[in-house]
Amino acid sequence: MIDFDAARAILRSNDLGGYTVPTRGLYPFQWNWDSAITALGWHRFDEGRAWREARTMFSGQWDNGLLPHILFHHEADSYFPGSEIWGANSRIPSSTISQPPVWALAVARMLERSSAGDAARAEARGLLPKIVAHHRWWYRDRDPGGSGLVESYHPWESGMDNSPAWDGPLARVPRVEWEYQRRDLGHVDQAQRPSRREYDRYLYLIEFLKHNEFDPCRLSAGSPYRVVDIATVSILHRATRELIGLCRQFDLESAVAELEAELARTQQAVNACWSAEHRCFLNLDKVSGAPLRERTTATLLPLFGLLADAEQASQMAALVEEWLTASRFSLASTHPESPRYESQRYWRGPVWLHINWMIADGLRAYGFDDLAARVKAETRRCVEAAGGYFEYYCSRTGKGCGGGDFSWTAAVALFWLAD
Ligand code: GLC
């Protein structure tokens, strides 16, 4: 049995007044995509609080449209690297990269389900120009060459920090030589976290962004790490579709043609990522130009993005079936047959609820209802087996891993598993 009262209690206890921390201790600030997903959970029992979450997030938007991946609303020494390392010059101290843009989608869903009528419409209307500015930032600053496929300059921008897909591109990045103290290992077992080797390079890239003054042309020309993350491409694409609907609804027609042109560009470009051999869309290494052959759940997200054609979708559905059979607990984030699969280590194999929600949603959109229901039922089993809302779950045993009392996991239970 799933305890939905406990899920609501987690959001309430992670509420720091206007924003919800992912979990106390390990992640003590406001994270961008966590916050969007968490807002969807809030919306099921406190609509006003859900809109407030969005307003607080967008209060930290940069003038150029970037919506940072972390807003450091207050000081906390339980997290590293803090705002002084990032070197942002922003109204609210923040990181200098973004995260997969879920907000347009969250706002569209909240508006659809709202019982608050005019109040909800006023909230959406207030947010809309900011979300448009954020999507413009993605298409302009993360795709300066106008290729149709946005790129990222830090693995954390994908939200899938230590995905095995990034191993090759990250190996090219120099390591920082200064000493630092990680704080994550004070909260979670080392066996479930990224390695020191990875952290040295994450920090190098943060400094690289700062030395290049976050200038998109300099980053695109010179970053040692440049990757097309197919998950971000897919989420952005789906969110832009939703955004166009919102713009029409709120008479912001001026943005529509431009956003439609971006959709068309991506739709055409994405076929460069399709691999008939792998039966999914692969991430790309922009430095070498090579596809990244690792099958991670990111490679299934074009279903959610509505970017696959009918034939590609049916090949992907067959792959999902095999993948489910190979994972003892629902959809391991790396295919269990990969030599790099690790069932408990963060983005290298565990089960993440919000990603499974997206994949199930995509499967349903293409008519694979039974398979979508299976993904959902097996995801539910993780929460039941672990008896709580953890950051993620071991795909071999169902054990809860990472941080406990985790906001987005509780939220996904409320808006997806409870339905
Ligand atoms: C980790 C995750 C990222 C998430 C953040 C806060 O960095 O990889 O996706 O947003 O934690 O939960």
Side-chain angles (χ1 to χ4, degrees):
M1 280 298 287
I2 298 201
D3 182 350
F4 294 109
D5 286 338
R8 286 183 277 271
I10 285 173
L11 297 199
R12 286 199 195 95
S13 84
N14 288 342
D15 181 0
L16 294 203
Y19 67 97
T20 319
V21 297
T23 183
R24 291 195 177 249
L26 180 63
Y27 298 125
F29 309 109
Q30 188 174 21
W31 261 260
N32 179 341
W33 74 328
D34 296 63
S35 187
I37 289 159
T38 301
L40 286 168
W42 274 114
H43 197 257
R44 293 303 171 105
F45 64 102
D46 185 343
E47 293 188 17
R49 182 59 189 78
W51 292 107
R52 188 163 175 220
E53 185 80 23
R55 264 188 273 125
T56 311
M57 187 73 224
F58 279 89
S59 71
Q61 184 170 31
W62 289 17
D63 292 341
N64 69 356
L66 165 73
L67 192 64
H69 101 292
I70 306 175
L71 297 181
F72 300 100
H73 292 289
H74 63 271
E75 307 265 311
D77 59 10
S78 63
Y79 181 81
F80 175 85
S83 60
E84 66 292 350
I85 306 278
W86 290 92
N89 180 22
S90 46
R91 273 186 300 275
I92 295 182
S94 74
S95 69
T96 64
I97 55 172
S98 197
Q99 261 185 335
V102 185
W103 280 103
L105 240 140
V107 166
R109 283 299 90 79
M110 278 156 47
L111 200 60
E112 260 164 36
R113 285 190 62 93
S114 190
S115 58
D118 287 350
R121 288 181 61 78
E123 293 278 10
R125 189 185 297 280
L127 288 165
L128 198 52
K130 299 174 186 172
I131 304 179
V132 169
H134 182 46
H135 281 232
R136 285 191 172 129
W137 173 84
W138 270 105
Y139 290 119
R140 188 190 63 233
D141 283 22
R142 286 299 187 254
D143 184 18
S147 72
L149 300 174
V150 293
E151 50 191 45
S152 38
Y153 306 121
H154 198 297
W156 290 350
E157 198 155 72
S158 72
M160 302 187 180
D161 307 6
N162 66 337
S163 161
W166 316 147
D167 288 359
L170 201 59
R172 204 182 286 125
V173 174
R175 301 171 71 149
V176 289
E177 281 168 10
W178 40 276
E179 282 304 313
Y180 59 92
Q181 201 195 342
R182 286 173 63 175
R183 299 290 156 81
D184 56 321
L185 301 180
H187 305 284
V188 176
D189 185 345
Q190 159 76 66
Q192 298 176 13
R193 296 289 304 174
S195 67
R196 164 81 196 218
R197 205 167 12 92
E198 286 157 334
Y199 254 80
D200 285 352
R201 293 179 163 108
Y202 297 153
L203 293 170
Y204 179 92
L205 289 172
I206 292 175
E207 294 198 317
F208 186 87
L209 290 157
K210 187 165 58 182
H211 292 148
N212 286 282
E213 297 167 328
F214 323 117
D215 178 300
C217 295
R218 285 162 71 184
L219 298 175
S220 166
S223 175
Y225 180 92
R226 278 173 62 211
V227 155
V228 169
D229 162 32
I230 195 68
T232 298
V233 168
S234 303
I235 293 169
L236 176 65
H237 194 77
R238 174 72 179 271
T240 299
R241 287 174 70 122
E242 307 275 351
L243 185 55
I244 290 172
L246 292 170
C247 287
R248 291 220 162 94
Q249 213 177 321
F250 289 93
D251 301 324
L252 218 113
E253 290 286 337
S254 57
V256 169
E258 170 196 341
L259 293 172
E260 281 181 336
E262 299 296 358
L263 287 184
R265 218 195 307 271
T266 304
Q267 183 65 68
Q268 202 182 8
V270 79
N271 282 316
C273 301
W274 173 252
S275 164
E277 179 197 343
H278 294 83
R279 292 177 293 157
C280 57
F281 289 83
L282 298 176
N283 297 291
L284 294 182
D285 181 353
K286 286 293 285 265
V287 174
S288 70
L292 297 164
R293 299 178 184 286
E294 201 62 52
R295 278 185 304 191
T296 65
T297 38
T299 69
L300 300 172
L301 285 177
L303 290 169
F304 181 68
L306 309 178
L307 279 161
D309 65 26
E311 173 55 26
Q312 288 164 337
S314 73
Q315 302 241 12
M316 291 167 88
L319 173 63
V320 170
E321 277 205 75
E322 292 169 22
W323 200 316
L324 280 171
T325 306
S327 321
R328 282 205 46 220
F329 280 81
S330 174
L331 274 192
S333 46
T334 297
H335 196 298
E337 280 156 19
S338 162
R340 288 168 196 256
Y341 162 76
E342 291 180 73
S343 66
Q344 287 196 43
R345 198 185 292 280
Y346 219 36
W347 288 97
R348 302 181 78 86
V351 178
W352 294 78
L353 256 64
H354 64 300
I355 300 294
N356 284 6
W357 159 61
M358 291 182 187
I359 291 170
D361 180 286
L363 285 168
R364 246 182 346 107
Y366 284 92
F368 298 100
D369 292 15
D370 291 349
L371 193 54
R374 187 170 157 205
V375 171
K376 185 169 176 175
E378 293 198 15
T379 305
R380 199 186 171 95
R381 235 168 24 95
C382 288
V383 181
E384 286 169 351
Y389 300 101
F390 290 84
E391 185 175 7
Y392 51 88
Y393 298 85
C394 172
S395 50
R396 207 167 265 146
T397 61
K399 182 180 98 170
C401 296
D405 288 348
F406 217 87
S407 295
W408 66 9
T409 309
V412 176
L414 290 170
F415 73 77
W416 183 44
L417 298 184
D419 257 355

